[in-house]
Amino acid sequence: MLQILICDDDRKDLEQIREIVSRTLFDVTDIQIQTFTNAKRLISYLEEFPEKCDLLLLDIGMDPVDGMEAAGVLRDQKMDIDIIFITKSPEFVYRGYQYRAFAYILKDRVAEDTPEVLRRYAEEIAKSETYLNVTVSGSMHRIPISSIRYIESDGRKLILHTDKDEISFYSKMNEIEEDMVRQGFLRIHQSFMVAKKEVCAVRKDMVALSDMELPVSRRYAEQTRKAFEDAGA
């Protein structure tokens, strides 16, 4: 799911942008949209929930904190967020390159330019990301593989533990193992497969992630040890 935040202190402009985003991306990918009319509240929200935003459409001309200042705070805190600036004046386009913005949209061109920019963004994300397609409650979801930390088997279901949430769907580990191994995952247990990039340490009967441990069974102990020895872990 693509999580999008929009921040603009003009409510009319805010609703226009929200409508354009929803209409443009509705058939492209799953999206969740949240809106803010105050950059200070936006910053506070992202400081508490930095994982809740993939793309930020940010108005520059706001008070008391403008969009450039807000972007500076987010970049200083190393938040992995793509930014599209929205501005009334072209002069800000040149000032904003330091914040690594994906694009700049002039306010008097919002209706014409925003759909094109959003489609280009979605295309670039799709090209750079590999997805696992799963069916949840009858709906197809495209889960970025880079967001999956580990996979757990629970009866007839698999649970994807991502960096943002947990996604449960009907499947078996053996059905996805071959594809996931090609994507950098390792089977460590009958009930667990882990992204190798998430592993911080390997011991005889467990692997350590940054905030937890996962069991390694006897069956998979040797291949687990060898995989991380070969990788220099």
Side-chain angles (χ1 to χ4, degrees), residues 182 189 226:
R182 286 197 294 265
H189 191 281
K226 189 175 187 305

Side-chain angles (χ1 to χ4, degrees), residues 179-229:
D179 287 339
M180 297 307 290
V181 166
R182 286 197 294 265
Q183 298 297 330
F185 283 73
L186 180 70
R187 186 79 174 265
I188 59 171
H189 191 281
Q190 187 67 21
S191 299
F192 291 97
M193 187 181 300
V194 66
K196 289 193 280 188
K197 65 181 177 62
E198 295 287 336
V199 176
C200 302
V202 180
R203 299 187 180 90
K204 182 178 179 181
D205 59 353
M206 54 80 68
V207 295
L209 282 61
S210 61
D211 56 349
M212 63 177 300
E213 297 177 351
L214 294 175
V216 175
S217 67
R218 288 185 180 181
R219 177 179 177 182
Y220 296 98
E222 179 63 19
Q223 77 170 31
T224 300
R225 180 190 62 77
K226 189 175 187 305
F228 288 101
E229 280 185 353

Side-chain angles (χ1 to χ4, degrees), residues 14-72:
L14 183 68
E15 286 306 311
Q16 180 189 20
I17 296 167
R18 180 190 179 104
E19 191 277 329
I20 293 172
V21 171
S22 180
R23 172 165 39 86
T24 302
L25 297 179
F26 177 79
D27 292 328
V28 176
T29 186
D30 292 330
I31 61 172
Q32 182 178 66
I33 303 174
Q34 293 191 69
T35 60
F36 295 82
T37 58
N38 181 295
K40 291 183 69 174
R41 292 177 184 170
L42 169 73
I43 292 169
S44 296
Y45 175 81
L46 287 174
E47 286 177 336
E48 185 174 1
F49 305 107
E51 75 282 1
K52 295 291 187 180
C53 180
D54 300 304
L55 175 64
L56 171 61
L57 286 86
L58 183 59
D59 181 29
I60 291 179
M62 296 184 288
D63 289 317
V65 177
D66 68 29
M68 289 287 184
E69 293 175 290

Side-chain angles (χ1 to χ4, degrees), residues 75-233:
R75 292 303 187 223
D76 287 344
Q77 297 189 22
K78 310 298 183 185
M79 293 188 190
D80 185 18
I81 295 172
D82 293 315
I83 298 175
I84 296 175
F85 280 120
I86 299 174
T87 176
K88 289 182 178 179
S89 173
E91 68 178 274
F92 290 108
V93 172
Y94 306 104
R95 285 181 50 199
Y97 281 114
Q98 61 185 303
Y99 301 116
R100 305 187 306 280
F102 178 81
Y104 300 83
I105 299 173
L106 295 177
K107 279 220 167 181
D108 60 3
R109 294 279 307 173
V110 162
E112 294 84 0
D113 294 347
T114 304
E116 179 183 349
V117 169
L118 291 172
R119 283 191 288 267
R120 178 162 56 89
Y121 176 78
E123 288 171 3
E124 292 197 14
I125 291 296
K127 288 177 183 177
S128 64
E129 182 62 270
T130 305
Y131 294 87
L132 178 64
N133 295 322
V134 302
T135 301
V136 181
S137 300
S139 299
M140 179 66 74
H141 292 254
R142 301 176 73 234
I143 312 302
I145 288 179
S146 63
S147 73
I148 304 172
R149 304 184 68 205
Y150 66 97
I151 305 169
E152 179 181 1
S153 176
D154 182 18
R156 296 169 56 204
K157 289 187 175 184
L158 294 181
I159 304 171
L160 304 180
H161 295 264
T162 76
D163 49 19
K164 295 179 180 178
D165 51 20
E166 296 179 0
I167 299 149
S168 178
F169 63 103
Y170 287 100
S171 187
K172 296 179 180 179
M173 198 75 84
N174 291 340
E175 294 176 357
I176 68 167
E177 182 175 358
E178 185 176 344
D179 287 339
M180 297 307 290
V181 166
R182 286 197 294 265
Q183 298 297 330
F185 283 73
L186 180 70
R187 186 79 174 265
I188 59 171
H189 191 281
Q190 187 67 21
S191 299
F192 291 97
M193 187 181 300
V194 66
K196 289 193 280 188
K197 65 181 177 62
E198 295 287 336
V199 176
C200 302
V202 180
R203 299 187 180 90
K204 182 178 179 181
D205 59 353
M206 54 80 68
V207 295
L209 282 61
S210 61
D211 56 349
M212 63 177 300
E213 297 177 351
L214 294 175
V216 175
S217 67
R218 288 185 180 181
R219 177 179 177 182
Y220 296 98
E222 179 63 19
Q223 77 170 31
T224 300
R225 180 190 62 77
K226 189 175 187 305
F228 288 101
E229 280 185 353
D230 291 347

